[in-house]
């Protein structure tokens, strides 16, 4: 088992990075690594690990849904609320129906089995869509109209709907639709007639449980101080979120996915500082979870079942996306303020399949349903085609089709390396300046540029300065630069050239009048001309 985990983590990471360097989504490389490692090719993964793949996928999906909830914007959702609701129902419904109709002719399936196939294929992948939308939010694409938030919410709702219909059809095809309830007055409703009530109740109860879970977590982590650091906070939140998912599987009265997403959303609404720290923790968890998710997804793909259905399967996927989803997208955005190019972006941002297909694609075959092998093959094909395509299309077409707005740092983490510029001379004050800069760099995991403007010929002092820099910045990435020219002009120029975030320099105490005037003029010039914060360190 340990060897298999090492294969997954190391090969998944490096093949993903090779794909990234080739300008392809890392997800594509991870799925390819899973196919190579899986039973269809090298068969180096232990059967015990493959049997537990569903549990590992559940953990990964929980992580990404929590990240989605922590990134939702209430104001943007209120602005596009009806569009989000329609995106949750219409595209998935129309795609499932079109696929069911097409399967009658392409694969000679019966109507109910075709609908079952439509539910499997129509579900959207949170593992592809959520990271993509959060990435767009961190770059500002589509945030003015809340397009990423709308797609995130709609995707979660559509998965709830299709999973409910899938279970209903599965029970009907395996047992018959003879279950129902009798209401007061003698009115009896069968499972199909109960479906709308189930969808509403699953979403509503999931949101309610998310609200309660967020309140409880804030009480535990903030008011009662059960934890001491961000790592512990993240572990507690992840544990509660996973408990919601597991409970939903055991007691299917609510959507575990919706509950997790709602927990993240309400954490952000009720305690933004806590949500920011939790978001950082889940960013770290996702690094490993993403590799596990997509490598195991690739390992579960059965290439041997794809041969006979490849061309008709591709035609089926194209009809479902372009005809079914196209009609659903049009009706979902009808009457909204979305432009034609923004509507077109839904083709890239709202059509990826992966997680749900990997989770439920093999279930009909396991239940002995006629056509189960076709459903499994189409599910595998949808993963191989749409997951890498969606992961590539989202960042590729967003700059072309969406408007860029201002990034809201309270909703997403902005990943960028911070640089500090430390301006020093050969005086004794340079050492405490570098010590202060090193302290700030360690707190923010920043890079440092040590700048010395040569004014006099002092080789011994320069050597001592470089030695001190090596000692102080031993565990920090830094560069040592020497330039000639006007001190203030060179500091500002270097700051602009290297795009630093802060300037750190010294200010001495007891000096001669001429030196005080010089230091004052340099500091004043930098404060007036630098467009970034300047930290002055005194003796």
């Amino acid at each position: 088992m340990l060897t298999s985990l090492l294969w997954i983590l190391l090969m998944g990471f490096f093949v993903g990075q090779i794909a990234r360097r080739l300008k392809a989504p890392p997800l594509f490389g991870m799925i390819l690594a899973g196919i190579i490692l899986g039973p269809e090719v090298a068969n180096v993964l232990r059967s015990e690990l493959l049997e537990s793949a569903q549990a590992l996928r559940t953990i990964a999906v929980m992580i990404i849904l929590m990240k989605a909830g922590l990134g939702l914007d209430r104001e943007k959702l209120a602005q596009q609320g009806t569009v989000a609701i329609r995106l949750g129902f219409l595209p998935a419904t129309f795609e499932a129906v079109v696929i069911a109709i097409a399967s009658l002719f392409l694969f000679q399936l019966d109507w109910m089995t075709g609908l079952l196939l439509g539910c499997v294929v129509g579900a959207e992948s949170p593992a592809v869509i959520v990271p993509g939308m959060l990435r767009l939010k961190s770059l500002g694409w589509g945030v003015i109209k809340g397009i990423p938030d709308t797609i995130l919410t709609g995707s979660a709702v559509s998965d709830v709907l299709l999973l409910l219909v899938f279970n209903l059809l599965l029970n009907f095809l395996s047992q018959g639709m003879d279950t129902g309830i009798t209401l007061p007055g003698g009115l009896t409703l069968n499972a199909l007639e109960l479906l709308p009530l189930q969808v509403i109740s699953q979403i509503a109860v999931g949101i309610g449980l998310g609200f309660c879970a967020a309140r409880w977590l804030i009480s535990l982590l903030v008011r009662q101080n059960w934890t001491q650091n961000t790592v512990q906070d993240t572990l507690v939140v992840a544990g509660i979120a996973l408990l919601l998912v597991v409970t939903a599987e055991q007691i299917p009265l609510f959507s575990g996915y919706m509950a997790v997403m709602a927990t993240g959303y309400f954490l952000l609404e009720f305690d933004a500082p806590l949500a920011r720290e939790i978001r950082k923790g889940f960013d770290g968890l996702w690094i490993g979870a993403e590799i596990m998710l997509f490598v195991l997804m690739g390992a579960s793909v059965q290439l041997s079942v794809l041969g006979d259905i490849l061309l008709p399967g591709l035609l089926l996927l194209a009809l479902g996306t372009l005809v079914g989803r196209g009609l659903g997208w049009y009706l979902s955005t009808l009457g909204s303020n979305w432009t034609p190019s923004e509507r077109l972006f839904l083709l890239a941002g709202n059509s990826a399949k992966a997680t749900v297909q990997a989770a439920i694609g093999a279930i009909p075959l396991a239940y002995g349903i006629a056509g189960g092998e076709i459903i499994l093959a189409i599910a595998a094909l949808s993963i191989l085609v749409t997951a890498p395509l969606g992961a590539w299309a989202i960042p590729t077409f967003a700059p072309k089709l969406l408007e860029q707005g201002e990034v809201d740092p309270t909703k997403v983490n902005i990943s960028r390396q911070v640089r500090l510029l430390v301006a020093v001379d050969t005086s004794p004050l340079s050492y405490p300046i570098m010590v202060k800069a090193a302290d700030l760099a360690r707190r923010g995991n920043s890079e440092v540029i040590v700048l010395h403007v040569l004014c006099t010929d002092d080789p011994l002092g320069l050597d001592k300065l470089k030695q001190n820099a090596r000692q102080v910045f031993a565990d920090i990435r830094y560069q040592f630069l020497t330039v000639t020219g006007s001190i203030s002009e060179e500091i500002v120029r270097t700051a602009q050239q290297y795009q630093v975030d802060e300037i750190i320099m010294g200010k001495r105490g007891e000096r001669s009048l001429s030196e005080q005037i010089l230091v004052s003029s340099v500091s004043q010039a930098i404060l007036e001309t630098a467009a970034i914060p300047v930290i002055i360190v005194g003796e």
Side-chain angles (χ1 to χ4, degrees):
M1 181 77 77
L2 183 59
T3 303
S4 297
L5 287 173
L6 288 173
W7 273 114
I8 289 173
L9 292 174
L10 292 177
M11 189 167 178
F13 174 79
F14 284 109
V15 177
Q17 292 305 304
I18 291 173
R20 181 183 63 82
R21 295 190 177 195
L22 294 175
K23 307 302 181 183
L27 172 153
F28 179 80
M30 295 174 192
I31 293 178
L32 180 61
I35 294 174
I36 295 172
L37 295 173
E40 297 284 322
V41 183
N43 194 26
V44 298
L45 301 181
R46 293 289 296 270
S47 58
E48 297 93 331
L49 182 62
L50 294 176
E51 290 169 1
S52 62
Q54 179 55 36
L56 295 173
R57 280 196 293 265
T58 298
I59 295 173
V61 173
M62 175 275 296
I63 292 172
I64 198 61
L65 287 173
M66 178 60 73
K67 280 169 58 67
L70 290 167
L72 288 178
D73 191 322
R74 174 172 52 83
E75 294 180 357
K76 295 298 189 297
L77 283 178
Q79 176 186 341
Q80 299 287 347
T82 59
V83 178
I85 294 173
R86 282 182 281 169
L87 277 178
F89 289 94
L90 297 181
T93 301
F94 281 113
E95 182 178 18
V97 171
V98 168
I99 285 176
I101 295 172
S103 67
L104 300 179
F105 302 96
L106 293 174
F107 301 106
Q108 289 73 52
L109 299 179
D110 61 76
W111 173 247
M112 298 301 286
T113 306
L115 278 178
L116 189 69
L117 172 61
C119 291
V120 172
V121 176
E124 299 155 22
S125 172
V128 178
I129 293 174
V130 172
M133 293 304 108
L134 293 179
R135 175 65 175 166
L136 295 189
K137 291 188 67 173
S138 69
L139 297 173
W141 294 113
V143 297
I144 295 175
K145 295 181 181 178
I147 292 174
D149 296 281
T150 304
I151 293 176
L152 285 173
T153 306
S155 296
V157 173
S158 70
D159 284 350
V160 173
L161 170 66
L162 289 181
L163 286 173
L164 283 174
V165 178
F166 173 82
N167 289 322
L168 171 66
L169 293 171
L170 191 68
N171 291 332
F172 172 77
L173 291 170
S174 59
Q175 304 172 9
M177 194 176 297
D178 55 359
T179 58
I181 63 170
T182 301
L183 300 176
L187 179 63
T188 300
L189 299 178
N190 62 30
L192 183 59
E193 294 166 334
L194 281 172
L195 181 62
L197 293 176
Q198 287 181 299
V199 172
I200 295 172
S201 65
Q202 288 234 345
I203 294 174
V205 175
I207 293 174
L209 287 175
F211 176 91
C212 296
R215 285 292 191 191
W216 186 40
L217 285 168
I218 291 172
S219 177
L220 289 175
L221 305 181
V222 178
R223 296 171 189 160
Q224 300 180 32
N225 293 317
W226 283 86
T227 55
Q228 286 77 47
N229 52 56
T230 301
V231 174
Q232 293 180 349
D233 289 343
T234 304
L235 290 176
V236 171
V237 173
I240 298 300
L242 190 58
L243 178 63
L244 288 171
V245 175
V246 173
T247 303
E249 293 177 352
Q250 302 296 323
I251 309 174
L253 298 177
F254 66 96
S255 167
Y257 289 172
M258 186 61 67
V260 170
M261 198 167 172
T263 300
Y265 170 78
F266 286 118
L267 279 174
L268 180 62
E269 288 295 307
F270 298 150
D271 197 314
L274 175 63
R276 183 182 66 250
E277 295 301 317
I278 297 299
R279 192 187 298 135
K280 292 179 182 177
F282 273 83
D283 283 346
L285 291 178
W286 176 241
I287 294 173
E290 180 184 29
I291 298 173
M292 294 293 297
L293 174 66
F294 289 111
V295 173
L296 289 174
M297 192 176 294
S300 68
V301 172
Q302 300 188 20
L303 299 176
S304 57
V305 302
L306 294 179
D308 296 334
I309 60 91
L310 181 59
L311 292 179
L314 290 174
L315 178 59
L316 184 79
L317 294 176
L319 289 172
T321 300
L322 299 177
V323 178
R325 278 196 169 268
L327 180 59
W329 291 329
Y330 173 77
L331 295 176
S332 297
T333 56
L334 190 64
S336 70
N337 61 349
W338 289 34
T339 65
S341 62
E342 290 167 343
R343 294 175 181 176
L344 183 60
F345 175 72
L346 288 169
L347 177 61
N350 191 235
S351 55
K353 330 286 183 183
T355 320
V356 178
Q357 288 72 23
I360 67 176
I363 293 178
L365 182 61
Y367 271 66
I369 293 173
E373 69 283 354
I374 294 176
I375 294 176
L376 175 59
I378 298 295
L381 184 63
S382 68
I383 295 172
L384 289 175
V385 173
T386 66
L389 191 61
W392 166 79
I394 290 173
T396 300
F397 289 100
K400 298 177 175 64
L401 301 175
L402 301 180
E403 183 181 356
Q404 191 171 28
E406 185 177 352
V407 179
D408 185 351
T410 66
K411 307 299 180 184
V412 291
N413 289 332
I414 303 174
S415 299
R416 188 174 66 83
Q417 184 68 53
V418 175
R419 284 197 186 96
L420 306 178
L421 176 62
V422 186
V424 293
D425 56 19
T426 56
S427 69
L429 181 58
S430 63
Y431 188 82
I433 294 173
M434 288 191 289
V435 170
K436 178 64 176 179
D439 180 53
L440 294 175
R442 291 187 185 97
R443 294 182 187 185
N445 194 28
S446 308
E447 294 181 358
V448 172
I449 296 175
V450 182
L451 176 66
H452 174 58
V453 181
L454 295 172
C455 297
T456 58
D457 186 16
D458 186 8
L460 294 179
L462 182 59
D463 290 341
K464 179 64 174 179
L465 191 61
K466 291 181 178 180
Q467 181 182 349
N468 288 340
R470 284 194 296 269
Q471 175 186 346
V472 173
F473 300 116
D475 59 339
I476 297 169
R477 295 191 183 277
Y478 81 98
Q479 300 179 58
F480 193 100
L481 303 178
T482 57
V483 296
T484 58
S486 169
I487 297 177
S488 59
E489 291 179 2
E490 290 301 322
I491 290 174
V492 173
R493 184 191 63 78
T494 305
Q496 294 172 344
Q497 178 183 352
Y498 287 88
Q499 297 181 334
V500 302
D501 299 275
E502 294 180 6
I503 297 173
I504 304 173
M505 57 184 300
K507 179 182 179 182
R508 300 180 191 173
E510 296 298 328
R511 307 187 68 184
S512 67
L513 178 60
S514 60
E515 289 177 323
Q516 290 180 29
I517 293 174
L518 177 60
V519 172
S520 176
S521 64
V522 170
S523 303
Q524 188 65 28
I526 294 174
L527 288 170
E528 290 178 354
T529 56
I532 56 176
V534 179
I535 299 176
I536 305 295
V537 180
E539 287 182 322

